[in-house]
């Protein structure tokens, strides 16, 4: 245990340079931040165009699907990008598309699932989606956290260096090592949960759509206006 712990600590401390990107959620590589007009301009540069049906939406192709994109703000600070699938699927196709997204997120190293057993996100082939939503008010949500490994390493290094000297680290006992690992893990979780990316099934006028949300929870309302 001690050798492994020390190896991890020394590896982190030996890193002298880290990525300097802002620690916030990104959509297509664009930080979900800033003013609405600036965000729309950046998304347009990715090939999306204003929708002919709604001036508040952009449209284009995303992850192989035709989508609408909306930009949501709080006090003119962007805190959410919503990606709405255009196509209305029948239940079989809807289930396939939803489960396919689950697999894609789980296979992507940029994301970690909220659930410790993420197989619970998947919709079984015999489930009646419309019945579950309309009668049982069931929500179909799959929640993930987006994170940057180099930023986590940087924060881990800063946390340890601010709390312990190099000499102290080398002298920690097993129980103290476990406490440091737990405390550092909680700190990382506190940071990562602000970078939430999730998707859901929504019913609109009797039709079902998948929507993916890229949330920067640093910018969302937290009750300051109450």
């Amino acid at each position: 245990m001690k050798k492994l712990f020390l190896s991890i600590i020394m590896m982190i401390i030996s890193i002298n340079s880290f990525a300097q990107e802002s620690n916030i959620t990104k959509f297509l590589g664009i930080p979900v931040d800033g003013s609405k007009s600036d965000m729309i301009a950046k998304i347009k540069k990715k090939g999306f165009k204003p929708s002919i049906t709604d001036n508040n939406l952009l449209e284009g192709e995303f992850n192989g699907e035709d989508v609408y994109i909306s930009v949501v703000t709080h006090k003119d600070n962007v805190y959410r990008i919503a990606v709405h699938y255009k196509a209305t699927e029948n239940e079989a196709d809807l289930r396939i598309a939803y489960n396919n997204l689950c697999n894609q997120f789980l296979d992507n190293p940029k994301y970690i699932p909220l659930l410790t057993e993420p197989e619970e996100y998947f919709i079984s082939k015999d489930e009646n989606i419309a019945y579950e939503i309309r009668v049982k008010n069931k929500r179909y949500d799959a929640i993930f956290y987006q994170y940057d490994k180099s930023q986590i390493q940087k924060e881990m290094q800063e946390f340890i260096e601010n709390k312990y000297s190099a000499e102290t680290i080398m002298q920690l006992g097993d129980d103290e090592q476990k406490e440091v690992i737990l405390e550092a893990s909680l700190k990382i979780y506190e940071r990562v949960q602000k970078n939430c990316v999730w998707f859901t099934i929504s019913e609109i006028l009797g039709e079902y759509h998948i929507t993916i949300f890229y949330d920067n929870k640093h910018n969302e309302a937290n009750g300051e206006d109450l």
Side-chain angles (χ1 to χ4, degrees), residues 91 95 123-133 140:
E91 279 214 11
R95 182 184 297 104
I123 304 173
S124 64
K125 63 180 181 180
D126 58 348
E127 186 159 341
N128 186 322
I129 299 173
Y131 176 82
E132 293 292 332
I133 292 176
Y140 291 95

Side-chain angles (χ1 to χ4, degrees), residues 77-91:
N77 288 319
V78 177
Y79 76 87
R80 167 176 288 175
I81 302 296
V83 181
H84 313 275
Y85 279 34
K86 278 188 183 181
T88 299
E89 313 281 358
N90 60 53
E91 279 214 11

Side-chain angles (χ1 to χ4, degrees), residues 15 46 65-66 93 157 161 171 188 194:
I15 299 173
K46 297 290 185 177
E65 300 285 345
D66 293 326
D93 290 341
Q157 177 191 9
E161 289 182 342
Q171 296 172 1
I188 290 173
K194 297 289 187 180

